[in-house]
Amino acid sequence: MHMDINLLTALIGIAAGALGYWLSIFHIQPILRFNDVRNQVLMDFIYYAQVVNAVELNDEMQNLYHERVLANRKASAQLFAATQCLPCWYRYYLKLKKWAPEEAAKNLILFSNTTEYEKAAKVQAFIRKKIGLPPET
């Protein structure tokens, strides 16, 4: 039986397209989503740095404090969800790098409830280490 070259070319194209789609949806996109959440955590740390404790501050700073609490809680949920979608080989890669994003997600909740500057700095440093963010300068 002799297969037509056009049919063979079409089948190879379809297989390559399916493989590319599978890699994109189940490997690349979850990693990109995870990195987007990591970047959001870093931006929140920078943006809300001055409002660990808003007691006796003006209304604007108290509103910013409440935004920080909500942003940290949202980031915690997003980080945990993004971690669950990562491919197995990438999770293993993160373990080799000594990253623990699920621990970081749990500590983001702790960070959102912290109002002491020293404790907040320690928790933030832990989170940064566990998701590979640069240390605070």
Side-chain angles (χ1 to χ4, degrees), residues 38-73:
R38 283 180 57 236
N39 289 334
Q40 185 61 52
V41 170
L42 178 60
M43 288 187 292
D44 289 345
F45 282 162
I46 294 168
Y47 185 75
Y48 297 112
Q50 75 277 14
V51 287
V52 171
N53 188 337
V55 175
E56 298 181 18
L57 295 179
N58 63 30
D59 289 342
E60 180 182 348
M61 294 303 280
Q62 288 189 8
N63 288 337
L64 202 57
Y65 169 79
H66 291 293
E67 284 178 30
R68 177 187 77 87
V69 170
L70 294 176
N72 291 148
R73 290 174 177 270

Side-chain angles (χ1 to χ4, degrees), residues 107-120:
N107 277 273
L108 272 166
I109 296 293
L110 175 64
F111 182 72
S112 73
N113 294 327
T114 303
T115 57
E116 299 170 21
Y117 288 100
E118 190 174 310
K119 184 176 181 182

